[in-house]
Amino acid sequence: MKTIKPPLVLYNALKKSRLSGSSIGFVPTMGALHAGHISLIRQARQENAIIVVSIFVNPAQFGPKEDLKKYPRPLNKDLALCRKERVDFVFLPSIKDIYSEDFSTYVSVEKLSGVLCGIARPGHFRGVATIVTKLLNIIQPDVIYLGQKDAQQAIIIKKMARDLNIPVKVKIMPTVRQSDGLALSSRNAYLDKKERLDALVLSKALSLAKLLVNSGAKSPLRIISRMKQLISRKKNARIDYIAIVDAASLKPVRKISGECLIALAVRIGRTRLIDNIIVRV
Ligand code: PAF
């Protein structure tokens, strides 16, 4: 496994593989790797000759009051995990390598970025789309692997690749959960014992929604209201949003039909968690 910092060095290291037709699989991360990331890396390992994992805590996707400073950075542990998973290259760019002092070019995916998490986190998806575009330019992978847990991010990256003719296949892998249902997230590390228990309310609300849909419920408003009731029983939980939207356009649906994304963001104490499921009717 090679650890590379300068973008051009990685670009050149991958040139040979690109020219010889070896497929390159890419898993972008901000580090603090967990089983969700590992599942992406394993899928990439199965499907490609060369695997690249990037670890970069991207300042452009954090708002001024967000957790950029305290975001976990267990680099040695992350590198050990990558080595164990037989990653070929770990890309560890410096902030300066990515954002020069006079940096002024951003990628913004309109409409899709202004809904759901985009409301409470203005500029977040612009930061994500910009860094992913830069990483795709440097690495030029055949396939990028993303998790369903960040459904809106995955949809935005898919749209961005299509809109900008970036020749990459976007693969979205299922959310990995702990045995009690909590979706894995690097931010779970912020939860204390009590909050960790309260956080189960997200997956429980989604299970309730699924149950209602499976028993024939068609009204998003009613389903959302039942989810709100369940979540409001937890004193420590503050709903940011609960939405039932078309799984491709992210537009709210009037009736449950086709493929719908049921997504929510809830603050447990000071930690904002997200989760979602897709229902097909
Ligand atoms: O999902 C993440 O960890 C980040 O948003 C990503 C895709 C690595 C971009 O910084």
Side-chain angles (χ1 to χ4, degrees):
M1 182 176 93
K2 280 198 175 128
T3 302
I4 296 186
K5 289 187 175 191
L8 199 59
V9 173
L10 180 65
Y11 176 85
N12 284 327
L14 290 169
K15 211 176 200 169
K16 236 188 183 171
S17 317
R18 244 178 260 120
L19 289 176
S20 69
S22 302
S23 70
I24 301 174
F26 170 46
V27 181
T29 82
M30 297 206 298
L33 303 183
H34 51 63
H37 298 111
I38 301 301
S39 81
L40 301 180
I41 295 172
R42 288 191 180 158
Q43 187 71 25
R45 182 73 284 167
Q46 266 180 37
E47 297 177 353
N48 300 277
I50 304 288
I51 307 299
V52 184
V53 171
S54 64
I55 299 179
F56 180 67
V57 182
N58 174 34
Q61 68 188 75
F62 288 79
K65 289 187 184 152
E66 292 185 353
D67 54 341
L68 173 61
K69 269 199 185 144
K70 73 165 184 176
Y71 198 84
R73 291 164 169 88
L75 184 59
N76 288 337
K77 197 172 151 227
D78 287 347
L79 291 177
L81 279 171
C82 287
R83 199 165 290 118
K84 192 164 164 247
E85 296 302 325
R86 295 175 296 119
V87 169
D88 299 286
F89 295 96
V90 179
F91 182 37
L92 288 172
S94 69
I95 305 237
K96 272 194 195 152
D97 279 334
I98 297 295
Y99 299 112
S100 56
E101 257 172 44
D102 59 348
F103 185 83
S104 60
T105 306
Y106 291 89
V107 179
S108 197
V109 180
E110 293 178 9
K111 293 188 185 131
L112 292 175
S113 299
V115 297
L116 308 181
C117 286
I119 297 172
R121 306 188 70 191
H124 169 68
F125 290 113
R126 183 180 85 145
V128 171
T130 302
I131 186 64
V132 174
T133 303
K134 287 169 73 74
L135 293 168
L136 290 174
N137 280 338
I138 296 162
I139 296 161
Q140 302 193 4
D142 296 277
V143 192
I144 179 172
Y145 295 82
L146 301 166
Q148 172 65 27
K149 151 89 179 8
D150 297 301
Q152 186 174 8
Q153 164 172 286
I155 289 167
I156 286 173
I157 291 173
K158 229 179 185 175
K159 178 78 165 58
M160 177 192 85
R162 190 151 36 92
D163 285 356
L164 297 182
N165 298 90
I166 302 177
V168 68
K169 186 169 173 191
V170 180
K171 268 213 164 172
I172 303 174
M173 303 307 297
T175 302
V176 177
R177 297 179 182 280
Q178 294 200 316
S179 55
D180 57 6
L182 183 71
L184 292 189
S185 159
S186 306
R187 289 192 167 97
N188 292 350
Y190 301 151
L191 303 170
D192 65 25
K193 238 181 173 177
K194 158 95 176 53
E195 289 171 338
R196 167 69 184 72
L197 273 178
D198 287 343
L200 289 179
V201 80
L202 280 91
S203 56
K204 284 191 176 149
L206 290 170
S207 300
L208 171 66
K210 194 171 179 185
L211 194 83
L212 293 169
V213 171
N214 287 345
S215 36
K218 290 274 180 284
S219 158
L221 287 181
R222 277 206 202 135
I223 297 169
I224 289 173
S225 147
R226 292 282 302 274
M227 294 170 76
K228 277 187 178 159
Q229 264 175 30
L230 188 136
I231 295 170
S232 60
R233 283 192 219 140
K234 293 269 168 235
K235 282 205 183 110
N236 216 6
R238 202 152 41 85
I239 297 170
D240 180 352
Y241 70 80
I242 302 179
I244 304 188
V245 295
D246 177 87
S249 69
L250 300 184
K251 286 189 180 145
V253 292
R254 286 214 203 121
K255 199 176 146 205
I256 304 286
S257 77
E259 210 169 70
C260 298
L261 176 76
I262 308 185
L264 77 173
V266 178
R267 278 178 204 280
I268 304 290
R270 300 177 115 196
T271 307
R272 185 176 181 278
L273 299 176
I274 57 171
D275 200 351
N276 69 81
I277 51 167
I278 288 186
V279 290
R280 293 177 183 88
V281 176

